[in-house]
Amino acid sequence: MEALAAVSHETGKMGIEKIDVAEPKTGEIAVKMVACGVCHTDAAGLHQIFPVPFPAVYGHEGVGIVDKVGDNVTNVAVGDRVVMTFPSCGVCPSCVDGHPYACDRMLELFWGGRLPDGTTPYSQDGVPVSTFFGQGSFSTYTVVQARNVVKVDIDSDEELANLCSLGCGVQTGVGAVLHGLKAEPHGSIAVFGAGGVGMAAIMGAKLAGCYPIIAVDVVPSRLELAKEIGATHTVNGKEVDAVEEIRKITNGGAHYSVESSAVPALTLQALDCLRKRGKACQVSVTGPATIELPIEPLILSKNVTYFGLAEGASNPPVFIPELVAYYKQGRLPVDKLVTLYDFKDIDKAFEDSHTGVAIKPILVF
Ligand SMILES: NC(=O)c1ccc[n+]([C@@H]2O[C@H](COP(=O)([O-])OP(=O)(O)OC[C@H]3O[C@@H](n4cnc5c(N)ncnc54)[C@H](O)[C@@H]3O)[C@@H](O)[C@H]2O)c1
Ligand SMILES: [Zn+2]
Ligand SMILES: [Zn+2]
Protein backbone atom coordinates (compact mmCIF):
# COMPACT_ATOMS: atom_id res chain seq x y z
CA MET A 1 0.00 0.00 0.00
CA GLU A 2 1.25 3.47 -0.83
CA ALA A 3 0.71 6.37 1.56
CA LEU A 4 1.66 10.02 1.94
CA ALA A 5 3.70 10.71 5.05
CA ALA A 6 5.70 13.55 6.61
CA VAL A 7 9.19 12.05 6.29
CA SER A 8 12.16 13.47 8.17
CA HIS A 9 15.62 12.83 6.68
CA GLU A 10 17.47 15.32 8.89
CA THR A 11 17.05 17.05 12.22
CA GLY A 12 14.27 19.65 12.28
CA LYS A 13 12.93 19.04 8.77
CA MET A 14 9.97 17.09 7.35
CA GLY A 15 8.49 16.88 3.87
CA ILE A 16 5.38 15.10 2.62
CA GLU A 17 6.53 12.15 0.52
CA LYS A 18 5.29 8.80 -0.76
CA ILE A 19 6.08 5.78 1.40
CA ASP A 20 5.30 2.07 1.10
CA VAL A 21 3.32 0.50 3.94
CA ALA A 22 3.59 -3.27 4.52
CA GLU A 23 0.60 -5.55 5.07
CA PRO A 24 -0.38 -6.16 8.73
CA LYS A 25 1.30 -9.25 10.20
CA THR A 26 0.02 -11.40 13.07
CA GLY A 27 -1.26 -9.18 15.88
CA GLU A 28 -1.14 -6.05 13.71
CA ILE A 29 -3.78 -3.91 12.00
CA ALA A 30 -3.77 -1.42 9.14
CA VAL A 31 -5.43 1.92 9.84
CA LYS A 32 -6.69 4.53 7.42
CA MET A 33 -5.84 7.71 9.26
CA VAL A 34 -8.48 10.34 10.00
CA ALA A 35 -6.41 12.81 12.01
CA CYS A 36 -3.35 13.14 14.21
CA GLY A 37 -2.50 15.51 17.05
CA VAL A 38 0.83 17.29 17.41
CA CYS A 39 2.38 16.75 20.85
CA HIS A 40 5.49 18.46 22.16
CA THR A 41 7.14 15.01 22.08
CA ASP A 42 6.90 15.02 18.25
CA ALA A 43 8.96 18.22 18.28
CA ALA A 44 11.42 16.48 20.63
CA GLY A 45 11.63 13.63 18.09
CA LEU A 46 11.99 15.98 15.14
CA HIS A 47 14.85 17.75 16.91
CA GLN A 48 16.40 14.40 17.88
CA ILE A 49 16.35 15.15 21.62
CA PHE A 50 16.47 11.37 21.74
CA PRO A 51 17.76 9.90 18.49
CA VAL A 52 15.20 8.25 16.21
CA PRO A 53 16.92 6.54 13.25
CA PHE A 54 16.51 8.48 9.96
CA PRO A 55 14.49 8.54 7.80
CA ALA A 56 11.56 8.78 10.20
CA VAL A 57 7.84 9.48 10.31
CA TYR A 58 6.78 11.04 13.64
CA GLY A 59 3.24 11.34 14.99
CA HIS A 60 1.85 9.46 17.98
CA GLU A 61 -1.65 10.84 18.57
CA GLY A 62 -3.38 9.23 15.62
CA VAL A 63 -7.02 8.34 15.18
CA GLY A 64 -8.48 6.44 12.27
CA ILE A 65 -10.53 3.58 10.92
CA VAL A 66 -9.38 -0.02 10.93
CA ASP A 67 -8.85 -1.05 7.31
CA LYS A 68 -7.34 -4.54 7.65
CA VAL A 69 -6.57 -6.91 10.48
CA GLY A 70 -3.78 -9.48 10.68
CA ASP A 71 -4.11 -12.93 12.27
CA ASN A 72 -4.97 -13.22 15.97
CA VAL A 73 -6.51 -9.77 16.29
CA THR A 74 -9.53 -9.83 18.58
CA ASN A 75 -9.88 -6.34 20.09
CA VAL A 76 -10.90 -4.52 16.88
CA ALA A 77 -12.50 -5.28 13.51
CA VAL A 78 -12.46 -3.66 10.06
CA GLY A 79 -14.49 -0.43 10.11
CA ASP A 80 -13.96 0.35 13.82
CA ARG A 81 -13.02 3.90 14.81
CA VAL A 82 -9.90 3.75 16.96
CA VAL A 83 -7.69 5.99 19.06
CA MET A 84 -4.04 5.01 18.79
CA THR A 85 -1.89 5.11 21.88
CA PHE A 86 1.62 4.33 23.10
CA PRO A 87 3.27 0.97 22.35
CA SER A 88 4.20 -1.70 24.86
CA CYS A 89 5.59 -5.23 24.59
CA GLY A 90 2.69 -7.04 26.25
CA VAL A 91 4.88 -9.67 27.90
CA CYS A 92 7.13 -7.97 30.50
CA PRO A 93 6.05 -7.99 34.18
CA SER A 94 4.65 -4.42 34.04
CA CYS A 95 2.64 -5.12 30.89
CA VAL A 96 1.26 -8.38 32.24
CA ASP A 97 0.38 -6.60 35.49
CA GLY A 98 -1.72 -3.93 33.70
CA HIS A 99 0.94 -1.18 33.74
CA PRO A 100 2.04 -0.97 30.09
CA TYR A 101 3.24 2.66 30.54
CA ALA A 102 6.09 1.18 32.59
CA CYS A 103 6.94 -1.46 29.98
CA ASP A 104 10.53 -2.74 30.20
CA ARG A 105 10.97 -1.87 26.52
CA MET A 106 9.31 1.56 26.72
CA LEU A 107 12.13 3.84 25.58
CA GLU A 108 13.11 1.52 22.72
CA LEU A 109 9.49 1.19 21.52
CA PHE A 110 8.79 4.93 21.86
CA TRP A 111 11.97 6.24 20.21
CA GLY A 112 13.68 3.31 18.47
CA GLY A 113 11.67 3.56 15.24
CA ARG A 114 10.65 -0.10 15.17
CA LEU A 115 7.71 -2.28 16.27
CA PRO A 116 8.37 -4.85 19.04
CA ASP A 117 9.44 -7.52 16.50
CA GLY A 118 12.19 -5.20 15.23
CA THR A 119 10.50 -4.34 11.92
CA THR A 120 8.97 -1.14 10.59
CA PRO A 121 5.97 -1.19 8.25
CA TYR A 122 7.35 1.85 6.40
CA SER A 123 9.90 1.93 3.59
CA GLN A 124 10.99 4.02 0.61
CA ASP A 125 12.56 2.19 -2.35
CA GLY A 126 13.15 -0.78 -0.05
CA VAL A 127 14.95 1.34 2.58
CA PRO A 128 13.32 1.04 6.04
CA VAL A 129 11.70 4.22 7.37
CA SER A 130 11.30 4.58 11.15
CA THR A 131 7.93 4.69 12.80
CA PHE A 132 7.43 6.59 16.09
CA PHE A 133 5.76 5.33 19.30
CA GLY A 134 4.76 2.31 17.21
CA GLN A 135 2.46 4.61 15.16
CA GLY A 136 4.33 7.01 12.87
CA SER A 137 0.93 8.56 12.43
CA PHE A 138 1.89 11.62 10.37
CA SER A 139 0.84 9.39 7.48
CA THR A 140 -2.38 8.80 5.59
CA TYR A 141 -2.14 5.07 6.29
CA THR A 142 -0.27 3.06 8.90
CA VAL A 143 0.23 -0.39 10.36
CA VAL A 144 0.41 -0.79 14.13
CA GLN A 145 0.18 -3.46 16.81
CA ALA A 146 -3.47 -4.12 17.60
CA ARG A 147 -2.68 -3.65 21.30
CA ASN A 148 -1.65 -0.06 20.41
CA VAL A 149 -5.21 0.99 19.64
CA VAL A 150 -8.50 1.29 21.49
CA LYS A 151 -11.89 1.13 19.82
CA VAL A 152 -14.04 4.14 20.70
CA ASP A 153 -17.78 4.59 20.60
CA ILE A 154 -17.87 7.76 18.47
CA ASP A 155 -20.22 8.39 15.52
CA SER A 156 -18.36 10.75 13.22
CA ASP A 157 -14.85 11.37 11.94
CA GLU A 158 -15.15 15.05 12.92
CA GLU A 159 -15.76 14.08 16.52
CA LEU A 160 -13.06 11.41 16.39
CA ALA A 161 -10.53 14.10 15.37
CA ASN A 162 -11.21 15.96 18.64
CA LEU A 163 -10.08 12.87 20.54
CA CYS A 164 -6.59 12.49 19.03
CA SER A 165 -4.77 13.45 22.18
CA LEU A 166 -6.62 10.94 24.36
CA GLY A 167 -3.91 8.52 23.23
CA CYS A 168 -1.08 10.64 24.65
CA GLY A 169 -1.37 14.21 25.97
CA VAL A 170 -4.80 13.91 27.56
CA GLN A 171 -4.28 10.57 29.26
CA THR A 172 -0.89 11.87 30.44
CA GLY A 173 -2.33 15.00 32.06
CA VAL A 174 -5.55 13.54 33.47
CA GLY A 175 -3.76 10.37 34.56
CA ALA A 176 -1.00 12.34 36.31
CA VAL A 177 -3.64 13.80 38.62
CA LEU A 178 -5.99 10.83 39.02
CA HIS A 179 -3.52 7.92 38.97
CA GLY A 180 -0.16 9.50 39.80
CA LEU A 181 -0.94 12.11 42.43
CA LYS A 182 -4.21 10.38 43.40
CA ALA A 183 -5.49 13.87 44.12
CA GLU A 184 -8.20 14.08 46.75
CA PRO A 185 -11.17 16.47 46.73
CA HIS A 186 -10.35 19.93 48.09
CA GLY A 187 -6.61 19.38 47.65
CA SER A 188 -4.78 22.35 46.14
CA ILE A 189 -2.85 21.86 42.92
CA ALA A 190 -0.47 23.90 40.76
CA VAL A 191 0.06 22.95 37.11
CA PHE A 192 3.22 24.33 35.49
CA GLY A 193 2.72 24.75 31.72
CA ALA A 194 -0.79 25.10 30.31
CA GLY A 195 -0.11 23.31 27.04
CA GLY A 196 -1.92 20.20 25.79
CA VAL A 197 -0.75 18.10 28.74
CA GLY A 198 -1.11 20.81 31.38
CA MET A 199 -4.66 21.65 30.26
CA ALA A 200 -5.53 17.97 30.59
CA ALA A 201 -4.04 17.97 34.10
CA ILE A 202 -6.27 20.95 34.92
CA MET A 203 -9.31 19.02 33.63
CA GLY A 204 -8.18 16.04 35.71
CA ALA A 205 -7.88 18.26 38.79
CA LYS A 206 -11.44 19.47 38.25
CA LEU A 207 -12.64 15.88 37.87
CA ALA A 208 -10.90 15.06 41.16
CA GLY A 209 -12.60 18.00 42.91
CA CYS A 210 -9.38 19.88 43.67
CA TYR A 211 -9.41 23.48 44.92
CA PRO A 212 -7.71 25.79 44.20
CA ILE A 213 -6.51 24.75 40.73
CA ILE A 214 -3.65 27.04 39.74
CA ALA A 215 -2.41 27.25 36.15
CA VAL A 216 1.10 28.64 35.60
CA ASP A 217 2.13 29.72 32.12
CA VAL A 218 3.69 32.68 30.31
CA VAL A 219 1.16 33.00 27.46
CA PRO A 220 -1.89 35.09 28.53
CA SER A 221 -4.30 33.44 26.05
CA ARG A 222 -3.41 30.00 27.47
CA LEU A 223 -4.07 31.23 31.00
CA GLU A 224 -7.45 32.55 29.85
CA LEU A 225 -8.40 29.19 28.38
CA ALA A 226 -7.10 27.41 31.48
CA LYS A 227 -9.72 29.32 33.48
CA GLU A 228 -12.45 28.31 31.03
CA ILE A 229 -11.66 24.62 31.40
CA GLY A 230 -11.24 24.43 35.16
CA ALA A 231 -8.41 26.55 36.64
CA THR A 232 -9.60 28.67 39.55
CA HIS A 233 -6.45 30.84 39.57
CA THR A 234 -3.80 31.70 37.01
CA VAL A 235 -0.21 32.82 37.46
CA ASN A 236 1.89 34.39 34.74
CA GLY A 237 5.40 33.15 35.54
CA LYS A 238 6.90 35.99 33.51
CA GLU A 239 5.29 38.66 35.64
CA VAL A 240 5.44 37.32 39.19
CA ASP A 241 7.36 34.85 41.34
CA ALA A 242 5.21 31.77 40.70
CA VAL A 243 6.24 29.93 43.87
CA GLU A 244 5.49 32.90 46.11
CA GLU A 245 2.14 33.40 44.37
CA ILE A 246 1.16 29.73 44.76
CA ARG A 247 2.11 29.83 48.46
CA LYS A 248 -0.14 32.86 48.89
CA ILE A 249 -3.10 31.32 47.06
CA THR A 250 -2.79 28.02 48.93
CA ASN A 251 -2.04 29.41 52.39
CA GLY A 252 1.46 28.02 52.58
CA GLY A 253 1.90 25.60 49.70
CA ALA A 254 0.09 23.27 47.32
CA HIS A 255 -0.84 19.68 48.11
CA TYR A 256 0.01 18.69 44.55
CA SER A 257 1.91 19.96 41.53
CA VAL A 258 2.40 18.83 37.95
CA GLU A 259 5.41 19.93 35.85
CA SER A 260 4.40 19.93 32.19
CA SER A 261 6.28 22.95 30.80
CA ALA A 262 9.54 21.13 29.93
CA VAL A 263 11.47 24.14 31.25
CA PRO A 264 14.11 22.49 33.51
CA ALA A 265 14.08 25.33 36.09
CA LEU A 266 10.38 24.77 36.71
CA THR A 267 10.99 21.31 38.13
CA LEU A 268 12.49 23.03 41.14
CA GLN A 269 9.52 25.41 41.35
CA ALA A 270 7.10 22.48 41.18
CA LEU A 271 8.86 21.10 44.28
CA ASP A 272 9.30 24.45 46.05
CA CYS A 273 5.61 25.34 45.82
CA LEU A 274 4.53 22.28 47.83
CA ARG A 275 3.37 22.24 51.41
CA LYS A 276 4.62 19.53 53.77
CA ARG A 277 3.55 16.06 52.61
CA GLY A 278 2.97 17.51 49.13
CA LYS A 279 3.50 15.52 45.92
CA ALA A 280 5.06 16.72 42.66
CA CYS A 281 4.62 14.78 39.42
CA GLN A 282 7.03 15.42 36.54
CA VAL A 283 5.47 14.58 33.18
CA SER A 284 7.50 16.84 30.89
CA VAL A 285 10.45 15.64 28.85
CA THR A 286 13.19 18.18 29.46
CA GLY A 287 15.83 16.67 27.18
CA PRO A 288 18.91 14.55 27.68
CA ALA A 289 20.62 16.84 30.24
CA THR A 290 20.18 15.87 33.90
CA ILE A 291 18.33 18.35 36.11
CA GLU A 292 20.23 18.84 39.38
CA LEU A 293 17.99 19.12 42.41
CA PRO A 294 19.58 20.57 45.53
CA ILE A 295 18.79 18.17 48.35
CA GLU A 296 18.97 19.86 51.75
CA PRO A 297 20.40 17.92 54.70
CA LEU A 298 17.01 18.09 56.39
CA ILE A 299 14.95 17.09 53.34
CA LEU A 300 13.22 14.60 55.65
CA SER A 301 11.55 17.48 57.47
CA LYS A 302 9.69 18.39 54.28
CA ASN A 303 8.12 14.98 53.75
CA VAL A 304 7.52 15.64 50.05
CA THR A 305 7.30 13.17 47.17
CA TYR A 306 8.71 13.78 43.70
CA PHE A 307 8.20 11.32 40.84
CA GLY A 308 8.20 11.06 37.07
CA LEU A 309 5.29 9.45 35.28
CA ALA A 310 4.83 8.18 31.73
CA GLU A 311 1.48 8.39 29.93
CA GLY A 312 -0.48 9.16 33.10
CA ALA A 313 -0.02 5.61 34.42
CA SER A 314 -2.65 4.69 31.88
CA ASN A 315 -3.80 1.23 30.94
CA PRO A 316 -5.32 2.43 27.63
CA PRO A 317 -8.07 -0.17 27.04
CA VAL A 318 -9.41 0.74 30.48
CA PHE A 319 -8.66 4.47 30.70
CA ILE A 320 -9.40 5.70 27.16
CA PRO A 321 -13.06 4.56 27.23
CA GLU A 322 -13.37 6.30 30.62
CA LEU A 323 -11.99 9.49 29.08
CA VAL A 324 -14.42 9.19 26.15
CA ALA A 325 -17.28 8.91 28.66
CA TYR A 326 -16.10 12.06 30.48
CA TYR A 327 -15.88 13.83 27.11
CA LYS A 328 -19.43 12.83 26.19
CA GLN A 329 -20.67 14.08 29.57
CA GLY A 330 -19.03 17.47 28.88
CA ARG A 331 -16.56 16.94 31.75
CA LEU A 332 -13.45 16.66 29.54
CA PRO A 333 -13.75 19.53 27.06
CA VAL A 334 -10.74 18.54 24.95
CA ASP A 335 -12.42 20.02 21.86
CA LYS A 336 -11.69 23.48 23.33
CA LEU A 337 -7.96 22.85 22.92
CA VAL A 338 -8.14 21.88 19.26
CA THR A 339 -7.05 23.83 16.17
CA LEU A 340 -7.48 21.94 12.89
CA TYR A 341 -4.85 21.99 10.11
CA ASP A 342 -4.76 20.35 6.73
CA PHE A 343 -2.05 17.63 6.73
CA LYS A 344 -0.06 19.58 4.12
CA ASP A 345 0.27 22.44 6.64
CA ILE A 346 2.17 20.30 9.16
CA ASP A 347 5.08 22.77 9.42
CA LYS A 348 2.66 25.56 10.29
CA ALA A 349 0.99 23.32 12.91
CA PHE A 350 4.40 22.71 14.55
CA GLU A 351 5.24 26.40 14.41
CA ASP A 352 1.91 27.40 15.97
CA SER A 353 2.38 24.84 18.73
CA HIS A 354 5.86 26.22 19.41
CA THR A 355 4.81 29.89 19.48
CA GLY A 356 1.72 29.27 21.60
CA VAL A 357 -0.83 30.14 18.86
CA ALA A 358 -2.32 26.62 18.97
CA ILE A 359 -2.53 24.41 22.05
CA LYS A 360 -3.46 21.15 20.37
CA PRO A 361 -2.94 21.31 16.62
CA ILE A 362 -4.76 18.45 14.89
CA LEU A 363 -3.73 17.46 11.38
CA VAL A 364 -6.64 16.26 9.30
CA PHE A 365 -6.01 13.79 6.47
N1 LIG B 1 5.02 11.85 30.47
C1 LIG B 1 4.52 11.56 29.28
O1 LIG B 1 4.20 10.42 29.02
C2 LIG B 1 4.31 12.64 28.27
C3 LIG B 1 3.28 12.54 27.33
C4 LIG B 1 3.03 13.62 26.47
C5 LIG B 1 3.86 14.72 26.53
N2 LIG B 1 4.89 14.76 27.42
C6 LIG B 1 5.75 15.93 27.58
O2 LIG B 1 5.00 16.88 28.34
C7 LIG B 1 5.47 18.18 28.03
C8 LIG B 1 4.29 19.08 27.65
O3 LIG B 1 3.77 18.69 26.39
P1 LIG B 1 2.72 19.62 25.66
O4 LIG B 1 2.36 18.96 24.39
O5 LIG B 1 1.68 20.04 26.63
O6 LIG B 1 3.68 20.87 25.34
P2 LIG B 1 3.30 22.38 25.08
O7 LIG B 1 4.45 23.00 24.40
O8 LIG B 1 1.93 22.45 24.47
O9 LIG B 1 3.15 23.00 26.56
C9 LIG B 1 4.19 23.58 27.30
C10 LIG B 1 3.62 24.83 28.00
O10 LIG B 1 4.61 25.37 28.85
C11 LIG B 1 4.51 26.77 28.79
N3 LIG B 1 5.75 27.40 29.27
C12 LIG B 1 6.89 27.63 28.56
N4 LIG B 1 7.77 28.29 29.32
C13 LIG B 1 7.18 28.48 30.53
C14 LIG B 1 7.59 29.11 31.73
N5 LIG B 1 8.80 29.65 31.87
N6 LIG B 1 6.73 29.13 32.78
C15 LIG B 1 5.50 28.57 32.66
N7 LIG B 1 5.06 27.96 31.53
C16 LIG B 1 5.88 27.91 30.49
C17 LIG B 1 4.21 27.04 27.32
O11 LIG B 1 3.67 28.35 27.13
C18 LIG B 1 3.22 25.94 27.01
O12 LIG B 1 1.89 26.36 27.26
C19 LIG B 1 6.50 18.00 26.91
O13 LIG B 1 7.79 17.95 27.49
C20 LIG B 1 6.14 16.66 26.33
O14 LIG B 1 7.25 16.06 25.67
C21 LIG B 1 5.10 13.74 28.29
ZN1 LIG C 1 6.20 -4.58 28.38
ZN1 LIG D 1 2.74 12.81 23.26
Side-chain angles (χ1 to χ4, degrees), residues 38-41 44 60 110 168-169 172 192-198 216-219 222 237 260-263 266 282-286 309-312 353 359-360:
V38 174
C39 168
H40 190 104
T41 307
H60 65 288
F110 281 20
C168 184
T172 295
F192 290 82
V197 174
V216 185
D217 206 289
V218 290
V219 180
R222 294 197 168 198
S260 65
S261 74
V263 177
L266 297 201
Q282 169 102 31
V283 298
S284 63
V285 180
T286 50
L309 194 67
E311 300 291 342
S353 166
I359 292 171
K360 179 50 65 181

Side-chain angles (χ1 to χ4, degrees), residues 87-96 99-100 102-106 109 147:
S88 56
C89 78
V91 294
C92 76
S94 289
C95 282
V96 171
H99 300 279
C103 174
D104 283 355
R105 293 179 65 191
M106 170 194 154
L109 296 179
R147 61 180 274 110

